Amino acid sequence: MKFHLSLFVIIGITFGIKLEGCQCKVVQFIFGDSLSDVGNNKYLSKSLAQASLPWYGIDFGNGLPNGRFSNGRTVADIIGDNMGLPRPPAFLDPSLTEDVILENGVNYASGGGGILNETGSYFIQRFSLYKQIELFQGTQELIRSRVGKDEAEKFFQGARYVVALGSNDFINNYLMPVYSDSWTYNDETFVNYLMGTLREQLKLLHGLGARQLMVFGLGPMGCIPLQRVLSTSGDCQDRTNKLAMRFNQAGSKLIDELQKQLPNSSYRFGDAYDVVNDVISNPNKYGFQNSDSPCCSFGNIRPALTCIPASKLCKDRSKYVFWDEYHPSDRANELVANELIKKFGFMRSDQTNPPSPSPAIAPSSNH
């Protein structure tokens, strides 16, 4: 769980288009961490990575916590909405059925999860990427039993896949002395370890039918409020940011290699580092007033680590880049999503269902 612009999203295809020979919609399968989690951790009762208390979700739907680690929407929500795609429900949502999967896909993202199995272990419960892929294999068995092997193969090969992890592998693993990875590796060898693991995971997904897949890189994670408050100067952590850039360079190279090696694959890497860095460095340019501290905090006690009912909210949530110590606000997510839509040429084919509007974020100084 943390701010990592491991931002995940989908490649443009419209809601309602049918796959040739299969009466199935094109849907998304999302693998990620807290930036993409839409409620899985809510059902992991022992997990310490939670967004189940107010004021999470205050600007989303009915304003109650829904499992998203923000005051509003995720980047994937916003991009999917603008393309007319259905929002995939959380894998652990009790209402998930085969019919729901065929209509909407599934989101396996879990706050605190990482590329590595050992990442985020102090959260007690979370889904690592390998675990999420294992759950996806179970989903495939359900769909095969429902529509048959051939139709299921067409369904999964026609789906869109998003993989958005990596920040926790640094923030909640390598950069913490309590984890053995912190003294087993150096900066270069740890990134190599991550890339070797991610390579095998993406090849595994390809073997399970993932043909159109997007992996997003990391943003300047050394500038999240948690990293700033832990520094003596309050500035961004330069080493942490350099690790993010190293990850992005290696990740881009990996995706280029897999794109050439894996049959019928369309794999892309989305590096959003520069966009997010500019928002953080020049907040006024984008209409923000604060890019270094969280909107939701426990008074002057920092770091607050999470947002709770006793927390105090900033006066205007739309003016803050960060919602809590780790995660961006709804408006920051919207700005990043719009930049990604423009950068990658995401197009909306379905003109019948307009995208959902941004929430009306009321100033709040009472909570």
Side-chain angles (χ1 to χ4, degrees):
M1 109 186 205
K2 75 285 112 209
F3 177 59
H4 73 146
L5 259 279
S6 294
L7 306 166
F8 284 116
V9 212
I10 278 82
I11 303 176
I13 200 118
T14 175
F15 182 109
I17 281 185
K18 306 292 184 181
L19 299 176
E20 185 177 354
C22 176
Q23 296 303 307
C24 305
K25 289 182 177 177
V26 175
V27 299
Q28 310 171 59
F29 293 100
I30 297 179
F31 304 84
D33 50 31
S34 59
L35 195 66
S36 307
D37 193 344
V38 296
N40 281 312
N41 278 31
K42 183 170 64 172
Y43 300 103
L44 295 176
S45 61
K46 296 178 182 178
S47 177
L48 299 181
Q50 291 288 347
S52 56
L53 294 173
W55 305 97
Y56 288 103
I58 189 172
D59 298 306
F60 186 102
N62 60 10
L64 297 176
N66 55 71
R68 289 169 174 80
F69 287 76
S70 180
N71 61 309
R73 302 159 295 170
T74 68
V75 170
D77 284 333
I78 297 164
I79 292 182
D81 289 350
N82 274 271
M83 294 194 309
L85 286 162
R87 292 179 180 172
F91 171 80
L92 292 179
D93 188 321
S95 65
L96 189 72
T97 64
E98 291 93 331
D99 287 340
V100 171
I101 294 169
L102 289 167
E103 286 287 319
N104 301 286
V106 183
N107 184 321
Y108 303 91
S110 171
I115 293 170
L116 305 176
N117 288 339
E118 62 264 32
T119 289
S121 60
Y122 69 79
F123 292 124
I124 302 177
Q125 280 187 308
R126 76 278 177 235
F127 293 152
S128 67
L129 181 50
Y130 268 127
K131 180 62 178 180
Q132 293 178 38
I133 295 173
E134 178 185 324
L135 298 175
F136 174 59
Q137 291 175 302
T139 298
Q140 291 196 320
E141 293 176 8
L142 282 176
I143 298 303
R144 278 195 292 268
S145 66
R146 178 61 182 268
V147 302
K149 181 179 178 181
D150 292 342
E151 295 296 287
E153 182 176 355
K154 294 174 185 176
F155 172 66
F156 288 110
Q157 290 191 1
R160 302 303 182 257
Y161 296 80
V162 169
V163 177
L165 303 93
S167 294
N168 282 319
D169 293 292
F170 294 99
I171 302 296
N172 293 310
N173 183 352
Y174 178 63
L175 294 173
M176 298 187 71
V178 295
Y179 288 94
S180 62
D181 285 349
S182 67
W183 66 78
T184 304
Y185 300 93
N186 60 37
D187 291 1
E188 180 180 1
T189 58
F190 184 70
V191 171
N192 291 340
Y193 174 34
L194 282 177
M195 289 300 119
T197 306
L198 183 59
R199 177 189 296 272
E200 294 307 310
Q201 291 163 333
L202 296 179
K203 288 170 65 176
L204 181 56
L205 281 172
H206 181 269
L208 294 171
R211 296 295 179 265
Q212 299 198 52
L213 179 147
M214 181 166 283
V215 175
F216 273 79
L218 307 182
M221 56 190 182
C223 294
I224 65 173
L226 177 68
Q227 287 284 295
R228 284 182 184 263
V229 78
L230 295 178
S231 71
T232 55
S233 63
D235 295 330
C236 297
Q237 300 264 18
D238 185 60
R239 181 194 175 199
T240 308
N241 283 345
K242 286 181 177 177
L243 284 168
M245 289 187 281
R246 188 188 288 265
F247 178 94
N248 290 346
Q249 291 167 357
S252 179
K253 180 181 178 182
L254 170 63
I255 297 307
D256 286 344
E257 292 174 355
L258 291 177
Q259 166 77 14
K260 297 173 183 176
Q261 295 172 2
L262 300 177
N264 303 315
S265 65
S266 176
Y267 283 19
R268 302 172 67 185
F269 186 83
D271 185 349
Y273 187 98
D274 291 341
V275 173
V276 182
N277 191 56
D278 196 40
V279 172
I280 293 171
S281 303
N282 304 287
N284 294 336
K285 172 182 172 183
Y286 296 90
F288 294 100
Q289 294 175 354
N290 186 301
S291 63
D292 59 13
S293 57
C295 172
C296 185
S297 63
F298 200 66
N300 293 323
I301 300 176
R302 299 279 310 282
L305 298 184
T306 188
C307 187
I308 59 176
S311 300
K312 295 187 180 298
L313 303 187
C314 59
K315 290 184 178 181
D316 189 343
R317 297 187 285 278
S318 70
K319 301 297 184 183
Y320 275 64
V321 173
F322 292 98
W323 164 245
D324 62 12
E325 298 281 4
Y326 297 89
H327 308 96
S329 65
D330 177 275
R331 183 159 177 269
N333 280 338
E334 183 175 51
L335 188 149
V336 172
N338 288 337
E339 287 294 325
L340 289 170
I341 290 169
K342 182 169 62 176
K343 181 176 182 180
F344 293 103
F346 293 128
M347 298 291 290
R348 182 184 182 86
S349 302
D350 169 23
Q351 299 297 330
T352 60
N353 296 316
S356 62
S358 59
I361 302 178
S364 174
S365 58
N366 299 322
H367 300 299

